[in-house]
Amino acid sequence: MAHVLVRVKVESYRLWRPVFDEGDAARKAAGAIGESQVFRSGDDPWEVIVLLEWDELENARQFFGFPERSDRFLEAIKQAGVTDEPTVFFLSQV
């Protein structure tokens, strides 16, 4: 099983969340499965952590634009009010 863990800093959770939710269909079309798990840091309310389950790591890498960021991904994070470069971890369940 493949997972993606994303850490982002946002200007406003209220601005970020609708943009994230709008991307659900695109994530599922690219291989995301199950429901996204979204967390806010207990120490920093501007930090959001998202855990996504994916069919294959390579599909997740392509969706997020790794190794190079895609224009779609960069536009989405700009629109969502992301203040820092997101940290993205690609994980294989053991």
Side-chain angles (χ1 to χ4, degrees), residues 1-4 30-33 52-64 90-92:
M1 188 65 54
H3 290 84
V4 178
I33 53 178
L52 303 152
E53 191 174 353
W54 223 269
D55 62 353
E56 295 182 27
L57 282 179
E58 187 55 35
N59 290 339
R61 284 189 177 97
Q62 288 177 8
F63 178 81
F64 285 96
F90 298 98
L91 308 168
S92 294

Side-chain angles (χ1 to χ4, degrees), residues 18-94:
V19 175
F20 175 78
D21 290 343
E22 288 172 13
D24 190 54
R27 286 188 298 274
K28 288 187 189 253
I33 53 178
E35 295 297 317
S36 303
Q37 296 181 51
V38 179
F39 307 89
R40 287 177 76 178
S41 170
D43 298 321
D44 182 352
W46 312 119
E47 182 176 61
V48 178
I49 310 292
V50 180
L51 180 62
L52 303 152
E53 191 174 353
W54 223 269
D55 62 353
E56 295 182 27
L57 282 179
E58 187 55 35
N59 290 339
R61 284 189 177 97
Q62 288 177 8
F63 178 81
F64 285 96
F66 278 83
E68 294 181 19
R69 302 281 193 208
S70 68
D71 290 340
R72 176 186 64 194
F73 181 73
L74 293 173
E75 181 58 33
I77 63 173
K78 179 181 173 183
Q79 180 184 9
V82 173
T83 60
D84 291 342
E85 177 74 16
T87 305
V88 181
F89 297 93
F90 298 98
L91 308 168
S92 294
Q93 189 169 352
V94 293

